[in-house]
Amino acid sequence: MRSCVILTFALAVALAPAAAFAQTTTSGQPPAGQQPPAGQQPPAGQPPAGQQPPAAGQPPAAAAPAAPKVPFTTTAGILLVQIKPDKTAVFEEMAGKLKAGLAKTSDETLKKQAAGLKIYKSSEPFGPNALYVVLLDPAVPASEYELFNMLLRTMTPEEQRDPGAQDMWKRYADAFAAGLSKLSLTPLGGL
């Protein structure tokens, strides 16, 4: 019961800044930290910030691994995901695809991440949007929890090259109403 109260309190504290953030991110662009993977065209036909789209027919250039966009610094965390109310089925499709990909992956980091990942849908709306809570307990510190990146890493090269993949990324990016809100959580001793 206490852990439920603590989680509820943590969510309440987190939602206030998320509401303010949601008010300022209505540009129609993919939410911050939620851009389609490199090599996939973003929804508005624009490359992700700081990236150029690959030339037609060429795979994206290999680059040194970048620092995670959405890491956790603690052993537990929460992502608050706002989804457009008419796009919940699209997000749930994405979550199902991520779950299926995590179940078949051979990537050790993704396997560890999958062990602590649970996705919940809030019964109450969050302003005009649907709210999903991604609980990560345990979280893998300093690992990438950007949902598009995680999904991309579960896909085979053939799945990534599939002509329908570009449309899939557009649909998924369009479902997000705002960027992710992230909370790195530390348990209180004895509670």
Side-chain angles (χ1 to χ4, degrees):
M1 182 65 176
R2 271 191 173 165
S3 63
C4 182
V5 172
I6 292 170
L7 180 59
T8 302
F9 177 75
L11 286 174
V13 170
L15 294 179
F21 180 75
Q23 300 289 325
T24 62
T25 57
T26 57
S27 66
Q29 295 296 319
Q34 290 293 313
Q35 296 194 9
Q40 301 294 332
Q41 186 176 6
Q46 301 295 320
Q51 295 183 11
Q52 295 296 322
Q58 293 182 358
K69 292 179 186 177
V70 185
F72 286 94
T73 57
T74 60
T75 58
I78 293 176
L79 296 174
L80 301 175
V81 184
Q82 293 182 58
I83 299 296
K84 295 173 186 172
D86 61 336
K87 304 287 185 178
T88 57
V90 175
F91 178 75
E92 290 175 16
E93 173 190 319
M94 178 182 170
K97 191 168 185 71
L98 177 60
K99 180 180 177 182
L102 290 170
K104 69 176 184 169
T105 189
S106 59
D107 182 303
E108 290 302 318
T109 301
L110 284 173
K111 285 181 183 181
K112 289 177 186 174
Q113 289 175 290
L117 187 138
K118 293 182 182 179
I119 300 176
Y120 298 92
K121 182 178 182 186
S122 173
S123 298
E124 297 79 23
F126 187 65
N129 302 314
L131 179 66
Y132 289 83
V133 177
V134 181
L135 177 62
L136 308 152
D137 189 13
V140 180
S143 293
E144 180 63 81
Y145 280 97
E146 195 272 334
L147 299 175
F148 285 95
N149 182 286
M150 289 178 71
L151 178 57
L152 178 67
R153 290 172 36 219
T154 68
M155 296 170 66
T156 66
E158 294 78 26
E159 290 171 325
Q160 292 176 20
R161 288 190 298 266
D162 184 295
Q166 181 177 357
D167 189 46
M168 176 191 75
W169 294 122
K170 286 180 183 182
R171 287 186 314 104
Y172 291 170
D174 184 52
F176 285 75
L180 295 175
S181 293
K182 177 187 87 163
L183 297 169
S184 293
L185 304 175
T186 304
L188 295 178
L191 294 177

